Amino acid sequence: ETGVTQTPRHLVMGMTNKKSLKCEQHLGHNAMYWYKQSAKKPLELMFVYNFKEQTENNSVPSRFSPECPNSSHLFLHLHTLQPEDSALYLCASSQEGLLEQYFGPGTRLTVT
Amino acid sequence: GDSVTQMEGPVTLSEEAFLTINCTYTATGYPSLFWYVQYPGEGLQLLLKATKADDKGSNKGFEATYRKETTSFHLEKGSVQVSDSAVYFCALMGGSEKLVFGKGTKLTVNP
C-alpha cells in the first residue's frame, strides 16, 4: 500500500449504530487530519493530530470521537449520528514543516 | 478569519478550450496558496502551489500566479482535455497552519 488509505470506502449506518472509520498513512508523516466534505460546502477540518497528540478539535459534536494510536493510524469512531452527518469523510497526513497534505480517497458515509 | 472564494460552477468546456477558474482570498499576513484537484471517486491531490507574492505555480499544463494586490490566485490552462474533468479546490494556509478551502468548482470537459 502506498500513500493514504481509508476503509471502508462506503458505509451506511442507522442512527443508533456504532461504527469506526480507519485511516492509514504509509508516508512516514507525523501529522494526521480528519475532514468532512459535504455538498456545496467547503471542506471542514474536524480534528488534527501531531505526533499522536490531538492539537485541534473544531467544535465537533461528541458523537464523533477520534483516536490516534500511533503516527500511522487514525480512527474516527461514530455513534448515534444524525442524517445531516452524511458526507464524505477524508483523512489526510503531512510532515511537520512542509505545506502539502496528502489525502486518502475518503469514506462515503450515509446515515439513515 | 481567513477565507477563500472561488467561482461556483459547474464549468463545462469542449476539449482544447481555455480554462480559467477564479479564486480570491481574505487573510492576514502572507498566506501560501494552493490548488487541489479531486477526480471522481478519489481524494484531493495537490495540483500546484505558490508561497509568496508573484510566484507562479504550475503543473500538468495548469498555472496560477499569486497576486497580492488583487488577493487572487486564478487557475488557468490553455487547452483542457477530457481527463481534466474533476473538481478543483482553491485553498490557503495562513498563520494558523491550517488549510482553508473554497467550495470547489466542478469542471466537465466534453470531447
Side-chain angles (χ1 to χ4, degrees):
Chain A
E1 293 278 15
T2 59
V4 181
T5 57
Q6 291 186 242
T7 54
R9 294 293 308 273
H10 301 271
L11 178 62
V12 179
M13 60 185 290
M15 291 193 289
T16 58
N17 291 158
K18 289 185 178 182
K19 296 287 185 183
S20 296
L21 310 184
K22 178 182 176 182
C23 174
E24 184 173 1
Q25 59 97 357
H26 309 268
L27 301 167
H29 291 164
N30 54 22
M32 297 186 77
Y33 311 78
W34 279 116
Y35 288 89
K36 177 182 179 182
Q37 184 178 20
S38 304
K40 300 189 185 301
K41 294 176 67 174
L43 267 75
E44 302 171 54
L45 178 64
M46 300 174 71
F47 300 104
V48 180
Y49 279 82
N50 277 309
F51 297 98
K52 304 186 299 176
E53 299 294 322
Q54 187 179 129
T55 58
E56 187 79 19
N57 175 341
N58 270 355
S59 303
V60 180
S62 60
R63 58 186 183 269
F64 296 91
S65 174
E67 178 189 2
C68 188
N70 56 60
S71 58
S72 298
H73 293 85
L74 184 65
F75 296 88
L76 188 63
H77 303 299
L78 316 171
H79 65 98
T80 59
L81 294 191
Q82 305 299 310
E84 60 265 28
D85 297 322
S86 298
L88 182 69
Y89 288 85
L90 292 166
C91 174
S93 70
S94 69
Q95 182 62 32
E96 186 185 21
L98 301 180
L99 297 175
E100 182 171 357
Q101 291 184 15
Y102 292 77
F103 285 80
T107 295
R108 173 67 64 186
L109 173 67
T110 303
V111 181
T112 59
Chain B
D2 296 349
S3 66
V4 173
T5 303
Q6 61 181 105
M7 58 190 288
E8 296 242 347
V11 175
T12 302
L13 296 173
S14 298
E15 208 163 22
E16 300 184 2
F18 185 85
L19 169 71
T20 299
I21 301 178
N22 290 336
C23 172
T24 57
Y25 67 90
T26 302
T28 54
Y30 302 95
S32 295
L33 302 174
F34 308 84
W35 277 100
Y36 278 81
V37 59
Q38 185 176 32
Y39 299 103
E42 299 184 13
L44 278 69
Q45 302 173 27
L46 180 65
L47 181 59
L48 53 84
K49 67 182 179 188
T51 57
K52 60 183 187 296
D54 299 325
D55 267 3
K56 177 185 283 187
S58 61
N59 186 25
K60 300 181 181 179
F62 291 89
E63 294 183 339
T65 301
Y66 190 143
R67 300 288 188 201
K68 181 174 176 293
E69 64 275 14
T70 54
T71 61
S72 65
F73 194 54
H74 305 320
L75 183 67
E76 297 182 336
K77 186 175 185 182
S79 176
V80 294
Q81 305 300 312
V82 172
S83 57
D84 294 326
S85 298
V87 182
Y88 292 82
F89 294 89
C90 186
L92 69 81
M93 181 180 290
S96 67
E97 298 187 347
K98 295 176 181 54
L99 278 173
V100 176
F101 287 89
K103 293 184 179 180
T105 302
K106 183 176 182 179
L107 170 66
T108 300
V109 180
N110 294 317

